[in-house]
Amino acid sequence: MTPMKWFLSFLKRYRKNMILGLILTVLITALNIVNPYISGMIVDDVILGGAYPLLLPLVGCMLGVIVIRGVMRFLYQVVFETASQGLLYDMRDKVYRKLLQEDFRFYNKKRTGDLMSRQTGDMDAIRHFVAYVIYVTCENVLMFAFALTMVFTVSVKLALCMLAVLPFTALATYRQSKEVKPAFQRNRNCFSSLNAFVQENVSGNRVVRAFSKEDYEIEKFNKENNAFRAAQISASGVWMKYVPIFEVLAYALNIILMLYGGYMVIHEEITLGALVTVNGYLWMLNNPLRMAGWLVNDIGNFITSVEKIYATYSEEPDVKTPPAGVRKKLKGEISFEDVSYRADDEDIVMDINFHVEPGQTVGIIGSTGSGKSTVMNLLCRFYDTTSGHVKVDGIDVRNMDLYNLRDNIGMAMQDVFLFSDTIEGNIAYGRPDCSFEEVKKAAIMADANHFIQAMPEGYDTIVGERGVGLSGGQKQRISLARALLKDPSILILDDTTSAVDMETESYIQKQLKLIEKDCTIFIIAYRISSIKDADLILVMDKGRIIEQGTHESLLAENGYYASAFRNQYGEIPEELLKGGN
Ligand code: ATP
Ligand code: MG
C-alpha cells in the first residue's frame, strides 16, 4: 500500500461528508457568478438602459445571494471540520494501536520524540489538509473554471487573451511543487529531531544537572534549534520565491482586461456592462492564481507528513502473535533448547540449554552484560530466538498466543518504570479490577506496605513522572508487588532486590516461598544470598551458560560461582567443597 492509498482508506469513511462538502463548494462557487452578472445588468439595463424600477429587485437578488452563500459557507465548514477531526481521531487511534504492537527492536531504534512528532505535528498537517486545503483547492479550481466560462460567454476573444496566463501558472505550480517536497522533508526531520532532543533532555534533566552540563546541553539545543530555523526558512524560501510570481500573474489579468477590454468597449465590440461583469469575475480569476503558491505549499507539507506517519505505521514487528496461537493457563514448565540470539550481527546469547519444572525457582547470576536479561526477554518473546526453541509447557512460545503467554508471566523489570498514577493504580496495572485488599496483600508480600502507608496519602499517593520521589528500593518493591498481583505462573525478578537491604531481601524471599509451588520463579541477581536456595542456578558469562546446578554442586565445582562466593563471603567452608566430590 502506498502512503496516499493508506490516507484515502481513512478519507473513505467520511465520503458522505466529503461529497456533501464538495456539492456545497460547487454551489457556493456557482453563486459567485451571479452577482457580477447582476452588476452588468444594472449598468447596461438600469443605468444606461433606463429601466430604473429594476434596480431594487436586482440589488435584492444580490443580497439574497450573499445570505445564501453565507449559510452554505457555514455548513461546509461544519462538514469538513467534522470529517477532518473524525479522520484524525481514526488515524491517531490506528497509529497508536500499531505502536502498542511494535516489538522491543522497534523501540530500541526509535526516539520517543520522533514518535511524538508523528502523533502531533504531522497529524496536524493532515487535519489542515482535510479541513481546509481540499475544499479551498476545489473552490479555487471551480472558481477559475466558472469565471473563465462566463468570460467566454461575454467575449471569446477576451477570454482567450486571459487564458494566456495559464501555462505560466501551470509551470510555476509544477516547479514549486518539485522544490517544496525536499524542503518540507528536511523541515519535518528537523522538527522531529528538535522534539526528540527536548524530550530526552527533559527526561534526563537530573543527569544534566548532576554533571553541570547545562551549558553543553544549551549549545546542543541551539544547534537543533538553528537547524530547525534554517529548515523552516528554506521551506518558506520556496513559497517566498513563488508567491510573487503568482501575484504578478494574477495582476497580469487586470492589465489584460483594462487594456484589451477597454479597447473592445471603445470599439463597441462589448458593452460597458459586459466590461463591468468581467471585472466582477476578475477576483475569481485572480484569487486562485494568488492561492496557488500557498496551496502547493500546504499540499507538499501534507504529503510529507502522510509519508512520515505511514513509514512509522507500516513497520511490521518481528514478533507477532500467531493466527491461532495456544491460549491456556500455563503450568510453568520451561525449557530452552539450543537457544541462540543474534542482534545487529552480534551474538548476544548462545547455546542456552536448561529445563525447569513447574514451581521450581531458578537463580541466574553472571557478570554484567552476560545475557541474563536477554534470556528472560526470549522467554517473554520480547525477541524471537535466532535458532533453537524456547518452550513453555512443552509448546514453542512462537506457537503460543503472545498475549496469553505474557498474561501468564509476571515480570519486575530491571529498569523499573512507574506510570504517573497512584501507587494503587501502579500495583494494580496488570489487574485493574482487583480489590484493594489484593493490592495490599501484594504490597505486603513485596514488603512495600510499610513505606506506602507511611506516605501522607498512602496508596493514593501519585508516583511516576509527575509524582513524589521514591527511592530505588521502594520503586523496586512497587514493581515487585505489580508483578506478584498478576498471580502469574512464571515470575521473573530481574535484579529486583538489588537496591533493598539484606533484611528486606530475606523477608521477600520468605514471601516468595509461599507462592513458589504454584509459580516458576526466575531470580536474576548479583548477590549469592538472593539465589542460593534456588532449585537451579544458571551461571552466565559472555552469552553462554558456563555452569548450572544447585548452590552446593556449584561450590563444589569450584568455578565462577565459587569464586563469586569467595568474593562475597570469603572462603568456602571445607565440607561444602567436598560435598560435590
Ligand atoms: P546486566 O547484569 O548488566 O543487567 P545482562 O546480563 O542482563 O546484564 P543483557 O541485558 O542480557 O545483559 O545484555 C547482554 C548484551 O547483549 C549486552 O551487551 C547488550 O548490549 C546486548 N544486547 C541485548 N539485547 C540486545 C539487542 N536487542 N540488540 C543489540 N544488543 C543487545
Ligand atoms: Mg540485565
Side-chain angles (χ1 to χ4, degrees):
M1 197 187 265
T2 61
M4 273 309 130
K5 274 193 184 148
W6 181 69
F7 166 74
L8 286 176
S9 70
F10 288 96
L11 196 61
K12 256 190 218 154
R13 285 179 225 169
Y14 297 92
R15 66 165 87 74
K16 276 193 199 143
N17 282 49
M18 299 316 285
I19 292 170
L20 181 62
L22 291 179
I23 292 173
L24 284 169
T25 312
V26 175
L27 291 177
I28 292 167
T29 319
L31 280 179
N32 283 342
I33 303 167
V34 180
N35 281 359
Y37 188 78
I38 297 177
S39 308
M41 280 173 73
I42 292 175
V43 172
D44 278 350
D45 303 341
V46 181
I47 301 172
L48 301 177
Y52 303 124
L54 274 180
L55 183 63
L56 269 182
L58 285 177
V59 172
C61 278
M62 286 173 99
L63 238 136
V65 168
I66 291 168
V67 171
I68 296 171
R69 253 187 55 195
V71 172
M72 284 188 173
R73 237 176 211 287
F74 170 76
L75 280 179
Y76 91 161
Q77 254 152 8
V78 170
V79 165
F80 278 113
E81 196 58 35
T82 325
S84 70
Q85 293 296 355
L87 179 140
L88 217 64
Y89 174 89
D90 296 345
M91 197 179 264
R92 263 199 308 260
D93 182 68
K94 195 116 186 196
V95 173
Y96 184 67
R97 277 169 199 273
K98 189 65 187 282
L99 283 180
L100 285 186
Q101 282 171 14
E102 295 293 357
D103 53 21
F104 275 31
R105 187 186 54 88
F106 175 91
Y107 285 100
N108 288 348
K109 303 250 146 75
K110 292 277 184 296
R111 297 203 295 179
T112 314
D114 264 346
L115 298 175
M116 299 290 294
S117 317
R118 296 294 94 78
Q119 286 285 50
T120 53
D122 288 323
M123 287 282 177
D124 199 57
I126 294 178
R127 189 204 60 78
H128 178 67
F129 180 78
V130 180
Y132 177 77
V133 180
I134 293 183
Y135 80 70
V136 173
T137 309
C138 291
E139 189 181 27
N140 279 287
V141 169
L142 286 170
M143 212 145 76
F144 195 85
F146 282 173
L148 201 65
T149 315
M150 291 311 287
V151 179
F152 262 109
T153 62
V154 174
S155 160
V156 175
K157 275 201 268 178
L158 189 59
L160 285 176
C161 270
M162 294 180 125
L163 214 58
V165 298
L166 268 192
F168 297 104
T169 317
L171 185 69
T173 311
Y174 173 76
R175 299 205 38 173
Q176 191 195 354
S177 64
K178 283 266 158 215
E179 279 182 47
V180 92
K181 200 170 171 204
F184 271 121
Q185 270 165 351
R186 241 185 346 264
N187 191 359
R188 300 313 307 175
N189 287 344
C190 288
F191 177 70
S192 281
S193 183
L194 179 70
N195 238 359
F197 180 86
V198 172
Q199 188 273 336
E200 212 167 280
N201 254 262
V202 171
S203 315
N205 169 277
R206 288 173 183 82
V207 182
V208 175
R209 277 162 201 245
F211 286 81
S212 302
K213 293 293 267 186
E214 284 90 343
D215 290 342
Y216 171 73
E217 290 300 334
I218 286 173
E219 208 174 292
K220 265 171 67 185
F221 176 76
N222 283 345
K223 258 192 209 152
E224 295 285 342
N225 206 5
N226 269 330
F228 183 49
R229 181 177 58 183
Q232 287 269 54
I233 289 176
S234 109
S236 320
V238 177
W239 63 256
M240 284 198 294
K241 194 162 82 189
Y242 282 95
V243 164
I245 297 176
F246 289 113
E247 275 294 308
V248 168
L249 288 171
Y251 277 112
L253 288 179
N254 288 41
I255 310 270
I256 292 171
L257 179 65
M258 284 306 131
L259 214 64
Y260 191 55
Y263 172 87
M264 289 175 92
V265 174
I266 293 165
H267 288 83
E268 295 181 352
E269 287 181 42
I270 54 170
T271 63
L272 183 61
L275 185 68
V276 171
T277 305
V278 175
N279 192 45
Y281 292 133
L282 202 57
W283 72 270
M284 291 175 65
L285 296 167
N286 271 340
N287 215 39
L289 294 186
R290 265 195 218 108
M291 289 296 290
W294 297 97
L295 292 176
V296 170
N297 214 43
D298 283 346
I299 292 170
N301 202 359
F302 156 76
I303 293 174
T304 316
S305 291
V306 172
E307 283 173 355
K308 284 224 152 251
I309 296 176
Y310 186 69
T312 310
Y313 175 82
S314 58
E315 270 190 52
E316 283 302 320
D318 289 340
V319 179
K320 279 192 200 157
T321 188
V326 177
R327 294 189 65 90
K328 63 171 193 168
K329 173 85 184 153
L330 300 174
K331 287 206 286 288
E333 179 205 344
I334 291 151
S335 50
F336 272 58
E337 297 170 4
D338 299 321
V339 170
S340 296
Y341 173 64
R342 274 176 78 79
D344 302 333
D345 284 334
E346 209 185 313
D347 287 315
I348 309 290
V349 293
M350 291 144 282
D351 309 322
I352 305 291
N353 282 291
F354 66 88
H355 181 87
V356 190
E357 291 298 334
Q360 282 193 324
T361 298
V362 183
I364 307 181
I365 195 165
S367 54
T368 174
S370 56
K372 304 181 295 293
S373 300
T374 305
V375 169
M376 291 299 102
N377 288 339
L378 293 171
L379 173 61
C380 299
R381 249 199 111 196
F382 291 139
Y383 304 106
D384 271 334
T385 58
T386 312
S387 64
H389 301 276
V390 176
K391 290 183 179 168
V392 179
D393 290 5
I395 306 162
D396 192 312
V397 286
R398 274 175 293 208
N399 299 329
M400 211 175 264
D401 183 278
L402 193 60
Y403 305 103
N404 181 70
L405 170 73
R406 292 183 189 160
D407 243 2
N408 277 280
I409 300 177
M411 189 173 197
M413 294 195 178
Q414 191 167 14
D415 3 293
V416 178
F417 181 86
L418 298 179
F419 292 97
S420 302
D421 194 358
T422 59
I423 292 186
E424 184 184 352
N426 265 292
I427 296 180
Y429 186 70
R431 281 180 54 206
D433 48 354
C434 72
S435 69
F436 175 69
E437 293 316 312
E438 286 172 287
V439 172
K440 196 167 165 185
K441 198 173 139 212
I444 290 173
M445 282 187 75
D447 198 24
N449 185 46
H450 285 304
F451 80 80
I452 297 173
Q453 278 185 336
M455 290 183 153
E457 290 173 73
Y459 281 84
D460 293 328
T461 311
I462 305 268
V463 291
E465 234 180 55
R466 64 189 170 91
V468 297
L470 291 174
S471 77
Q474 289 172 334
K475 279 191 207 159
Q476 284 186 337
R477 279 177 279 164
I478 292 181
S479 150
L480 172 61
R482 174 165 68 186
L484 287 170
L485 185 67
K486 269 182 90 180
D487 196 11
S489 312
I490 302 163
L491 179 67
I492 300 172
L493 309 182
D494 192 347
D495 223 15
T496 305
T497 50
S498 62
V500 301
D501 57 77
M502 294 290 205
E503 202 182 321
T504 310
E505 183 179 35
S506 103
Y507 170 86
I508 292 173
Q509 276 170 354
K510 275 189 209 123
Q511 296 298 314
L512 291 179
K513 286 226 177 319
L514 301 176
I515 56 162
E516 72 180 7
K517 58 184 179 311
D518 312 312
C519 181
T520 308
I521 305 175
F522 286 88
I523 301 173
I524 300 181
Y526 287 110
R527 287 206 292 247
I528 300 267
S529 62
S530 315
I531 54 162
K532 68 177 187 340
D533 295 332
D535 301 295
L536 173 69
I537 296 171
L538 307 175
V539 183
M540 293 200 64
D541 190 36
K542 299 195 185 89
R544 292 178 194 274
I545 297 179
I546 50 167
E547 293 168 20
Q548 57 175 301
T550 59
H551 176 69
E552 288 73 21
S553 76
L554 289 173
L555 283 184
E557 251 180 60
N558 208 5
Y560 181 101
Y561 186 81
S563 79
F565 183 91
R566 274 192 214 98
N567 284 338
Q568 293 178 24
Y569 293 98
E571 272 317 299
I572 304 169
E574 198 62 20
E575 67 274 15
L576 281 178
L577 268 178
K578 279 189 200 126
N581 291 335

